[in-house]
Amino acid sequence: MLLQLKSVEYERERVSFVEDKKERWCRLKGNLLFLMKNKSSEASEVVILERCWIVEFRSKTDVSIVLKFQSGEPDLYLEAASKPDCESWAVALGEANSEGLQNKIQQLRRLIMEIKEERSSDEARQFVPSSQVDSLGEPHFTSIQRIANEPKLEFSLACKDLVTATRDRKLNTFVQVSVLYPAEHILTRYSSTEIVEGTKDPLFLTGVTFPPEYPIYEETKIKLTVYDVKDKSQDTVRTSVLPDHKEPRADTGRSFLGCTTFRVADLVKSKEQQLTLTLRTSDGGKTVGTIEVNLVKMGELEDGETDHITTDAQDQKCALVREGAATEGISGKDNLPSLNAVLKNPICKLYRFPTSDNKWMRIREQMAETTLSFHVPKELINLHIKEDMRRNQELKDLGELAPHWDNMRKSVIAHCDQMLSMYQDTLAELGKHTGSSFKPSCNKGEKTLEFIPINLHLQRMHVHSPRLKDALYDVITVGAPAAHFQGFKNGGLRKLLSKFEAERRNTGYQCIYYSPENTAKAKEVLSNINHLQPLISSHADLLLNSASQHSPDSLKNSLKMLSEKTELFVHAFKDQLVRSALLALYTARPGCVLKKPAMPKNSTEEGGDLQHQDHPSQIKRQDSIPHHSEYDEEEWDRVWANVGKSLNCVIAMVDRLLEKDNVSNTKEGENDPSAADCKVFHTGGDWYEQLYPLVITLKDCMGEVVTRAKQSMAFVLLQELACGLPQCLMLTLRRDIVFSQALAGLVCGFIIKLHTGLHDQGFLQQLHTVGLLVQYEGLLSTYSEEAGMLEDMAVGISDLQKVMFKVIEAKSEDFLPIITGRREHYVIEVQLPAKMFELLPQEIKEGKLLRMYPVLFNVGINEQQTLAERFGDTTLQENINQENLELLKKYYKLFTEKMPPDCLPHFQEQNDLKGLLENLHQNIQAKKRKNVEIMWLAATICRKMNGVRFTCCKSAKDRTSMSVTLEQCSILRDEHQLHKDFFIRALDCMRSRQIQGALNESDDPETGCLTDNKPTSRHFYPVALLLVSSHLLVVWLILSLALLLAKYQ
């Protein structure tokens, strides 16, 4: 089946198979799809591509497309030749109808309007008076640093005296909001309110929010359409483009009541900032009621109390939410450009809830993607490629080896080159990625995206209370870091690493076994070599330059830096591993003879006081590691000690030169000044000439040490790789994948926390004195594949301990973080603008590395966890929780020792941290089923110690959203006096299906995939599954087993 594009008359044509598996020639022209028996025959069938949608299956092998029709006609199945062909046709068919064409036109018009807005900012801001622009665009929050893209315009709605068709009919109404652009006749459905049941005077606590980038002007018209919902469960709010004069079709279960239109200028310029509008039928004749539009400002307290709300609406099941979806992109005019660099596509929702003292508090919930989802993995893969290329070159530079070891080296290098090629291909594919800045859960199994975290988002709740200070609560939501593409048939990293290490110990007949600690030490030594050698060489050149200029002060400073770096260099090799590896390397040479038995020396004999070494004339230069000759194991000690001796000679010579210079200056000061100048010039030449041979000797000795040490440590790494091919490299790949996902979330959390606490001196002191606590809340079960995910996640989060952060001043407009280091140690450089950088303590500005303390507490809560507790094993979860409790206690000990007690956040009720830790310990030891108290206690401890909160489940959708919304409502109840009677309503509001108002009903907002009538709620979760009795599950399992046995007998 080949795609043909030669026809002039038709836009697209190809051979395809229809549902009866017969070959047909398909031709696409406009919104008509022609089906023919062959290319030259006439059309046997014509399909009108209107009122239908396309379903494309996202599996790797499926190349089918299904056309589904709203009229109820049978589905049309098409099959393509290849996956790319299938994808291209899915796009072409999806855009072939009139609605798709209108969407394209609308997108182009919006783009034109945005360009006009950029060119004429004054004209763009005319939709509100200048006195109100600042208050709308830049609301003032008490001690709060706002997130990028606060909503620009918000208003609430309420109806009165709605007319019903029958006298006894109780209305269930909602308002749909549409936008009509100036000088255009295109009506775009924007959002809708919640459904208020059983009243003719509905008070909608769902408002409308327009983000700053939304192209709205004074002349923009907003249309409000009121519907009566007969069957609430069947109603679905959709977004589409309609002609101005055309009403939306009467969907099953709802009926049109009335509509009205107003200009934005009428609302924002009205004295009371309120409009009362008449609702009329579509023909404009009959009046069906009135609707009130009230301008809302987040930063202002609402007048009045809640009594009239609760009295009038006590029988109304209404949600308390205003919502709005921001358009793509972040405004460059925002005052937080560094946050704009990492946050993208924010979605804003605004709630108002009553407090226990009958006042209103406003809550703005914001969710944003982050560009770090792709930036961090790409930076990390680039580092892996460089590190692996260096390792491969070091293996090649080992020199001549015996046949057994040489064949082993060739095999290792071949496998490493294949792995290196895979990293390079992955990086190239990620470089081609365009579109969304996060990976939806439906793509978690794609190989090219396996380094990318799943559904990484910032979830922020900003609370504005009438009598309390404003507060921010941030949670990073992300799918559990795991290698989904590789699968979990054999478990996750925790089990695989343990099994691999046990098997590697039994392969000593093939290679030399080095413990994981020794291989990590070898990598550290190689890293120190690559870092310190160029620094020492640079400082040595600066010393000679100071000598040539005869600058005593510069000479002293250069010598000090040279001495410090050389001392670090010498002590980096003060380890028994280097000596033993050198001996092992010699035995691997062809034809080796040992001069002495291979007896390891004590590490205390390796060193030597650098202040009591011999003159360089007594230093005997050593050749490279001898081949085909006797090996003296004490040779390394002499070579290693020569560096210290050479440095002491340089120090002694500088001291003599400075001493002579002082004496010379004293004498010359008493004589003629011109003679003194000549003497200085002559002495300068002596300084350089006397220091030059000593510095060259130091460099040569250092180069000799580097050559030997590099080869010995590369030999250790060769043993590590050779003992476990190819499992070793596959485990390294899996660990890199999991770590990449975990690191992207950590970098996002750190940057957000840094911006939030930039004016909190206690937090900044804690950051550089103790470090940052990072608490992960896991909701994975210990059953089936999720047990493997939990094992991956536990190792990935534990590996975050080797990450350090450093804050630097940005030198350009690029504020994305910079990653340096190697697999055993990474440094993340976070860039801040100059004004923000000045707010930091001196220690952080001087480049002090900031340490992270990641902890993970997991409690499985789904139905699979019930199976694990009944028939499986929960030991994995118990061990993880116990291990991380000890890490949390360790951080608490450091925290209490180094930080004053007044640095803790001041909550309404200040609980004792020690008591919370003891309570957490008791709950972990209790081993209670689905003990969610562990989650709440760990989250509370984290917040009280200024930590960063993460919530994770398999895909960061259902369980994560249920947990986050429950936590947010609990915080409102415990810390901000949420009225007890409104707790459940607030929880339902945050989990409402209506909050995603501007989504097409066939689009799944979590996965980004085209699906067949999936729920469109981010916060919807089948709670009933969590409440199923365990006895019913047992009965279900028995019946299922009986059916299976009957089937196969």
Side-chain angles (χ1 to χ4, degrees), residues 318-454:
C318 53
L320 313 178
V321 54
R322 297 181 184 87
E323 57 82 20
T327 53
E328 184 175 358
I330 293 180
S331 174
K333 301 176 183 179
D334 195 274
N335 63 347
L336 294 177
S338 54
L339 262 187
N340 289 345
V342 298
L343 295 180
K344 190 177 182 182
N345 298 338
I347 295 176
C348 305
K349 297 172 288 179
L350 188 67
Y351 313 85
R352 62 173 182 175
F353 300 138
T355 61
S356 57
D357 56 356
N358 291 328
K359 298 292 183 182
W360 288 109
M361 64 174 168
R362 288 199 178 102
I363 297 92
R364 175 170 288 137
E365 189 181 22
Q366 295 171 308
M367 183 177 69
E369 304 169 14
T370 172
T371 55
L372 299 176
S373 293
F374 281 83
H375 173 75
V376 170
K378 287 193 288 187
E379 291 287 305
L380 206 56
I381 295 173
N382 192 37
L383 286 179
H384 293 334
I385 292 174
K386 293 179 180 179
E387 180 181 351
D388 291 348
M389 291 178 67
R390 286 195 302 267
R391 179 198 59 199
N392 292 356
Q393 188 59 45
E394 288 163 355
L395 293 176
K396 295 175 182 178
D397 293 341
L398 276 176
E400 187 179 2
L401 297 175
H404 167 73
W405 299 106
D406 191 50
N407 291 334
M408 181 184 294
R409 174 174 59 177
K410 292 178 181 178
S411 176
V412 168
I413 292 177
H415 281 86
C416 289
D417 286 340
Q418 292 179 2
M419 194 63 62
L420 181 62
S421 176
M422 193 221 68
Y423 280 99
Q424 292 171 336
D425 293 342
T426 300
L427 183 60
E429 289 298 322
L430 291 179
K432 300 176 184 177
H433 176 82
T434 57
S436 178
S437 57
F438 79 103
K439 181 175 79 172
S441 60
C442 67
N443 294 337
K444 60 177 171 283
E446 290 193 12
K447 179 175 176 56
T448 56
L449 299 177
E450 56 185 344
F451 284 85
I452 311 301
I454 302 170

Side-chain angles (χ1 to χ4, degrees), residues 559-576:
L559 180 63
K560 180 182 178 182
M561 297 299 298
L562 178 64
S563 301
E564 291 177 356
K565 299 303 179 184
T566 307
E567 291 278 353
L568 293 174
F569 180 83
V570 170
H571 287 288
F573 304 108
K574 192 177 182 180
D575 194 284
Q576 176 66 26

Side-chain angles (χ1 to χ4, degrees), residues 605-619:
E605 299 175 6
E606 298 174 10
D609 191 349
L610 294 180
Q611 304 299 325
H612 300 280
Q613 304 290 354
D614 298 330
H615 192 271
S617 62
Q618 301 174 3
I619 298 176

Side-chain angles (χ1 to χ4, degrees), residues 90-222:
V91 173
L93 292 173
E95 296 177 350
N97 54 24
S98 58
E99 184 175 346
L101 181 60
Q102 289 175 346
N103 286 332
K104 284 185 177 180
I105 296 173
Q106 181 65 16
Q107 291 175 1
L108 291 174
R109 285 174 172 168
R110 287 194 183 187
L111 181 61
I112 293 172
M113 295 174 73
E114 289 174 1
I115 294 174
K116 290 180 179 179
E117 184 180 19
E118 292 177 359
R119 292 181 177 178
S120 180
S121 60
D122 294 337
E123 179 183 351
R125 293 171 67 90
Q126 286 179 1
F127 86 100
V128 290
S130 59
S131 60
Q132 298 177 8
V133 168
D134 294 336
S135 62
L136 287 172
E138 301 289 341
H140 298 287
F141 298 143
T142 307
S143 302
I144 293 297
Q145 193 71 277
R146 72 177 180 88
I147 196 175
N149 274 33
E150 294 271 347
K152 182 185 293 183
L153 178 65
E154 297 174 328
F155 57 85
S156 59
L157 301 168
C159 293
K160 289 185 179 181
D161 303 324
L162 294 179
V163 177
T164 59
T166 59
R167 182 174 299 178
D168 297 333
R169 165 73 177 156
K170 288 187 177 181
L171 295 174
N172 303 322
T173 54
F174 75 93
V175 179
Q176 182 164 287
V177 182
S178 304
V179 178
L180 180 63
Y181 295 100
E184 296 185 11
H185 299 283
I186 298 298
L187 189 68
T188 302
R189 298 179 186 176
Y190 181 73
S191 66
S192 66
T193 67
E194 82 282 6
I195 298 174
V196 179
E197 299 179 356
T199 179
K200 298 179 181 180
D201 301 316
L203 176 67
F204 299 104
L205 299 173
T206 303
V208 182
T209 301
F210 289 94
E213 305 85 7
Y214 201 88
I216 186 170
Y217 304 90
E218 268 192 9
E219 296 77 15
T220 301
K221 293 182 179 180
I222 295 179

Side-chain angles (χ1 to χ4, degrees), residues 72 115 244 264 291 416 458 488 843 920 1048:
I115 294 174
D244 186 21
V264 172
I291 185 168
C416 289
L458 164 68
F488 309 96
E843 293 85 352
L920 178 61
Y1048 290 102

